[in-house]
Amino acid sequence: RLLASEPDAELLAGLRAGLHERAVGATQVHPLMGDGWRTLSAYLESEDPEPLADEFTRLFLGPVGQLVYPYESFYLTGRMYDDPLGDVRAFLARNGLEPSGVSHGEPEDALVFELSTMARLIARQEGAGDVDPDALLLPQREFLEQHLLVWAPTCALEIQTHPGAGFYKGVAMLLGGFL
């Protein structure tokens, strides 16, 4: 949700709850994730959330300044709507995944869409019953290895080091540690 659009007051309130505990727990998973929660905590404790819409716009939408283009096609070819988008669409078709409503009009190779796709692949395991675990894990591995892990860590680092990132620096650290 944090990469789909600027966070609303309800999401920010949810993020503020239990920040210290999240940072401690996340550090055990990956130190960068713990640092991400601490960065978010410092930001949320000291900043007015109103500028987050401006930060989101400056980082991802423009119209001026150094933008981050969170699209697989852009990272792999330097162009939007290129071959990697077709590859993602082919993966979705092979695995019976229809584009979901979380894309907010973005192409399927957008970071927010790819993260949503990974979440949907993982969610298939819930209630899968007697389905062979490999049948569920192999598409997850394929999507990670052929898509997300190929470009998203670089995108996360670009967001993290962007001079205009405050709140989104923490979000990028969480993403980088998770990946």
Side-chain angles (χ1 to χ4, degrees):
R1 282 182 57 196
L2 294 172
L3 293 165
S5 64
E6 65 275 358
D8 58 24
E10 181 182 338
L11 179 55
L12 291 174
L15 288 174
R16 283 186 179 101
L19 280 168
H20 175 73
E21 293 81 10
R22 287 183 189 160
V24 170
T27 299
Q28 295 173 2
V29 176
H30 193 284
L32 190 57
M33 290 179 71
D35 291 344
W37 279 116
R38 282 185 283 283
T39 299
L40 289 177
S41 177
Y43 185 89
L44 290 170
E45 290 171 1
S46 66
E47 297 289 330
D48 175 11
E50 284 299 315
L52 285 180
D54 291 337
E55 182 178 336
F56 184 86
T57 299
R58 282 191 320 273
L59 288 174
F60 304 113
L61 303 176
V64 295
Q66 176 186 351
L67 293 178
V68 176
Y69 296 96
Y71 305 95
E72 184 176 348
S73 290
F74 182 81
Y75 275 85
L76 299 184
T77 69
R79 295 180 304 276
M80 298 288 295
Y81 303 101
D82 211 331
D83 290 342
L85 174 59
D87 295 341
V88 171
R89 288 177 174 165
F91 175 88
L92 295 171
R94 275 193 318 275
N95 288 279
L97 294 169
E98 295 291 324
S100 69
V102 302
S103 68
H104 300 281
E106 296 281 3
E108 292 88 341
D109 70 339
L111 181 58
V112 66
F113 191 93
E114 289 196 11
L115 291 170
S116 170
T117 298
M118 195 66 217
R120 292 168 60 199
L121 289 168
I122 293 168
R124 284 182 167 181
Q125 289 178 261
E126 295 176 13
D130 293 335
V131 175
D132 177 16
D134 287 342
L136 299 170
L137 293 174
L138 288 175
Q140 293 175 35
R141 180 178 180 170
E142 177 186 350
F143 195 73
L144 277 171
E145 290 177 350
Q146 294 178 9
H147 297 286
L148 271 173
L149 293 178
V150 173
W151 72 279
T154 304
C155 181
L157 184 59
E158 186 176 345
I159 297 167
Q160 180 183 332
T161 58
H162 191 285
F167 177 81
Y168 281 94
K169 177 179 181 172
V171 172
M173 294 166 91
L174 286 173
L175 176 60
F178 175 76
L179 292 172

